[in-house]
Structure formats: C-alpha cells, structure tokens
Amino acid sequence: MDPVSRKTITVDVNGERYERELDARRLLIHFIRDDLDLTGSHIGCDTGNCGACSVLVDGTLVKSCMMLAVQADGAKIETVEGLAADGELNGLQQAFSDHHALQCGYCTPGMLMSATALLRENKSPSEDEIRKGIQGNICRCTGYVNIVEAIRAAAQ
Amino acid sequence: MLLREVEYARPARVQEALRLLGANDGARALAGGQTLINVMKARAASPDVLVDLADIAELRGIELGSDGTLELGAMTTYTDIIDSAEARARPILGEVCNQIADVQVRNRGTIGGNVCSNDPTNHLPPLLVAIGATMTIVGQAGERSVPADEFFLGVYMTAAGPGELLTKISVPPGKSDGFASVPIGKDGTCIVNVAASLTNRTARLAIGCVDAVPVLLTPDSTEDAAVRKAVHDANLDPPWDVHASAEYRRHLAEVLALRAVAQAAERR
C-alpha cells in the first residue's frame, strides 16, 4: 500500500453512513463540520487544548482537531447531533438545560461528549471523577460548578 | 488550521512501515498524533509522508512475563496502561500516565510517541530512565536494544533514527518508585519533574525539564542529605522561560527529588 495524498473513506456518523473522497491532510473536525455539514462540534483553539471539538470515535473520546479524517476510515463516530432522539433532548442534555450548565454554549457540544463518555464508563462518578472527566474541556464563560452539577444530576 | 499537503499510508506490518519510512527522507511515523498533528499545524514539522502505525497489531499490547518484566508495545495508549491489570505490576506507570493532559489525549497518545517525541517536559522519559526500561528499536539492519538512559539523545532526538521504529519498551519488575512534579495547572505541562526508583540501598533519580534529556543521578543513599548533594553535584543549568527562572527550576529539582525519593521509600 503506497502513500496517497487523497483517499476515499467510509464512516458511520450518528448511525448514518458517509463515503467521501478527501485530502489526507484534512482534519477530522473539518471533515465533520465542512464536508458532512454537522456543525455541532466546534473548533475552539485548534491546538488540542480546549476540547470543543470532542467526539467519540469507536466509542473513544477524542479531540477531532488532533486526528486526520483518514485515520477515522471505517470508524463509528458519534457527535453531539446524535444525542437527541427525535428532537427530544436526552437526559444529559436536559440536565445541562435544567442546571444552567452553559452560558455562551460554545464549549457545550464538547462538554456533552466528554460527559457522555464518562457516564458510559462510570454510572455514578464522584465530583472528582467528573472534574477529571471534563478536564480536557475548557469553559471560558462561567466556570464548571453548574456543569459538574448537571453531569451529577444526569448520572442519577 | 489547514495542514500542508501530506501523503498517508497505514501499513499492517512493521516491515512494511520500515519500507515506507526508508523510501522517503520526509517520511515520519504517526503514532497517536497528539503532538505531531499539532506541530504540523504550526508547520514546526512538515513531513511529506505520514506512516500511520495504528493498524500494526504487533506494536500494541501489554504483556507481563513470568519473571515480572513488562513488555509494552510502542503503540500502547496511556489509557491502555492506566486500565491494564498487567501494567499494575509496576504501579508507577499507570499513575504517571494518569497525570498526562486529559482524557482525550490519554485515549490517543501512546507511550512510544511520548518517548520518541522526547520533548524535555514529557513525563515518560525521566520515568523510564529512573526505572531502568529498555527500548527495542528495529530498522532495515535488524533489531537492537537500547537502555532508556542511552535512548534520549537531545531535544526531540532519540536513538530511534530516521527509518527506524521503536517497537517495544521493557520494564523490569519493581515497586519502590516515585514521581513528583510541579506542572502548569493540574496534569499540565511539567515545569520540573523527577522520577525515583529504589532498590535495596541504591537510588536512581531522573530529573526532567532541566536539560535536553533526563538527568540521571545515583545518590550514595536515599538519605535527604545524599539526595540533595547528588542534585547539587549535577550542576544543573536549566532553561528559563515565562513559567520559571533557571534558579527556580534548580530549586524545584532538589525539592522534587526529595519528594520522589520519599514516595518511593514508602513503597519499599
């Protein structure tokens, strides 16, 4: 298999199958936002620090600005758009709303995906475990107290 | 950010990866990408070809030998190590991996990537030097073993040269280990870090962030005075930056050496 600068990849995003030809240099976040038009996942820092681009790849939480789209070939990807079913917020999203766990909302898609990953592994995380779970996600508006409360409420 | 154009290959075998790396001077191995993708955005690195190691099964996994030696595949992620029952044979490994960055980075970042990037602020170079790990490197000429204290050659430079791959890290049995750091924020980049490993009455200390490579010290005893003297005698000349002066880093090296030794001593 010789190196290629363009490649056709197939991914499953939120249960839907997509096949696209793209440049090898394309970041996964650009593929998700620009090629698939799923703009829920955000680009905050573009340096791997802020976590606004967090998605699940084969069930693993990753920052999609630090991964090439070609690396996700064949993967099952979950983004924030996949959380609500039939227009109804899921329990975690509702808890974020109920606890005012967002201000401007820019970090929220990444927070929700990190919390989703955490709660799948740990059904009743402690406050420390919640804080460790969202350590890779930065909120620059208002802090983390309400976010932690929302995740704790969603776990119950 | 848009990356410069790059070619990409994802071989399934080590030999194929070596062929691809050897075929082009601008080829570079891609492990977890948690450093490389970012430096490519900044154009600090601009490889022509990325050889993604993700599909090479022989580079993954953790095995505990009957003699207590741990064999860690270079593509083993921090999270794999944290979650591994086998890796608990040397508890310090999982403990230190759990201090690296955040969940997302730990899920993708690999032990091989951490040591091969050899950023002087990384956690694992001093740790692996202190605990006496051995690196297995393969190239077109075959396979060789390099002790961790000879593996790190300079900033971003290791004994794994162009066209070669680090395949495996072997860690001898032991439990009397310690790791102390002052990071920039919890689990952030280290300002100074020190790993310590004790056997009977000997101590191995490796100080990170104060030189291009971890500084290995072997104090005469684990007494505070001997540890302090060893750090003094090393005549450290650390870099200074916005986070810490050289003087403060020298001070931290001594304090953290004592803390790392104390932690290791508690675990005898």
Side-chain angles (χ1 to χ4, degrees):
Chain A
M1 185 179 60
D2 284 322
V4 291
S5 58
R6 277 184 78 75
K7 193 174 187 306
T8 299
I9 68 166
T10 309
V11 291
D12 174 309
V13 184
N14 303 326
E16 205 153 318
R17 190 171 173 277
Y18 298 88
E19 188 178 293
R20 292 285 190 282
E21 187 190 357
L22 44 74
D23 282 350
R25 63 173 160 171
R26 196 150 186 76
L27 296 173
L28 180 58
I29 184 63
H30 290 143
F31 170 69
I32 291 170
R33 286 179 54 84
D34 300 341
D35 295 353
L36 305 186
D37 203 26
L38 293 168
T39 54
S41 306
H42 290 163
I43 301 173
C45 67
D46 208 358
T47 56
N49 288 292
C50 80
C53 64
S54 297
V55 300
L56 296 168
V57 175
D58 288 331
T60 300
L61 185 71
V62 307
K63 292 176 185 168
S64 59
C65 80
M66 285 201 289
M67 189 168 172
L68 302 173
V70 288
Q71 290 180 278
D73 187 14
K76 183 174 180 294
I77 297 170
E78 296 167 75
T79 70
V80 71
E81 287 91 345
L83 295 183
D86 303 323
E88 289 276 321
L89 299 184
N90 76 4
L92 178 66
Q93 291 171 307
Q94 190 60 51
F96 266 61
S97 174
D98 293 345
H99 289 80
H100 305 285
L102 57 129
Q103 193 162 312
C104 85
Y106 202 86
C107 71
T108 310
M111 287 286 181
L112 287 168
M113 298 318 288
S114 289
T116 298
L118 172 70
L119 295 177
R120 275 186 200 171
E121 282 204 357
N122 187 345
K123 299 287 179 222
S124 54
S126 66
E127 177 171 345
D128 280 353
E129 288 168 337
I130 293 171
R131 287 181 180 273
K132 185 102 178 160
I134 59 169
Q135 192 174 21
N137 296 76
I138 294 173
C139 166
R140 280 289 96 117
C141 288
T142 182
Y144 303 91
V145 172
N146 287 357
I147 294 170
V148 171
E149 282 178 7
I151 296 171
R152 207 205 308 245
Q156 283 164 357
Chain B
M1 256 169 281
L2 189 62
L3 304 184
R4 193 174 73 88
E5 279 213 358
V6 68
E7 294 193 333
Y8 173 86
R10 193 155 84 193
R13 314 275 319 163
V14 167
Q15 284 308 318
E16 178 66 359
L18 291 175
R19 185 188 68 78
L20 291 163
L21 289 168
N24 188 321
D25 287 345
R28 200 159 160 186
L30 174 63
Q34 303 302 283
T35 301
L36 183 54
I37 301 290
N38 279 332
V39 298
M40 286 173 68
K41 288 178 196 169
R43 303 292 199 272
S46 291
D48 298 318
V49 180
L50 286 174
V51 180
D52 187 352
L53 308 178
D55 280 354
I56 306 180
E58 54 198 300
L59 292 180
R60 284 189 192 275
I62 302 170
E63 280 177 31
L64 181 59
S66 54
D67 66 344
T69 300
L70 268 175
E71 310 251 301
L72 303 145
M75 283 292 286
T76 306
T77 66
Y78 309 128
T79 298
D80 292 338
I81 294 170
I82 293 163
D83 291 345
S84 158
E86 288 80 14
R88 270 169 221 140
R90 195 97 201 211
I92 196 76
L93 286 168
E95 290 166 14
V96 172
C97 285
N98 204 24
Q99 296 172 31
I100 297 175
D102 52 52
V103 180
Q104 293 94 320
V105 170
R106 290 192 291 271
N107 283 344
R108 298 272 313 154
T110 66
I111 184 170
N114 188 291
V115 297
C116 286
S117 65
N118 194 26
D119 185 308
T121 65
N122 280 359
H123 295 64
L124 297 183
L127 178 65
L128 296 181
V129 167
I131 65 179
T134 304
M135 324 305 228
T136 301
I137 299 169
V138 295
Q140 297 291 2
E143 186 177 285
R144 65 201 161 95
S145 292
V146 178
D149 52 19
E150 294 171 20
F151 179 80
F152 302 103
L153 300 180
V155 178
Y156 312 138
M157 284 169 55
T158 70
E164 293 189 315
L165 272 184
L166 171 73
T167 55
K168 190 173 71 178
I169 296 172
S170 307
V171 175
K175 64 182 169 67
S176 187
D177 305 318
F179 187 87
S181 68
V182 170
I184 304 161
K186 185 158 169 51
D187 300 344
T189 304
C190 293
I191 294 173
V192 174
N193 56 28
V194 181
S197 187
L198 311 182
T199 53
N200 293 330
R201 306 188 75 162
T202 67
R204 278 171 71 89
L205 289 175
I207 308 176
C209 317
V210 295
D211 205 335
V213 299
V215 176
L216 175 63
L217 304 178
T218 51
D220 296 332
S221 81
T222 59
E223 299 296 319
D224 280 7
V227 173
R228 281 184 200 278
K229 180 172 186 303
V231 177
H232 267 279
D233 291 351
N235 285 319
L236 299 176
D237 184 21
W240 59 272
D241 57 27
V242 65
H243 301 294
S245 64
E247 185 58 37
Y248 182 56
R249 279 199 170 83
R250 252 193 306 274
H251 167 72
L252 284 183
E254 191 174 314
V255 171
L256 294 174
L258 293 172
R259 285 185 197 166
V261 169
Q263 188 192 0
E266 278 175 16
R267 298 172 168 195
R268 274 196 213 263

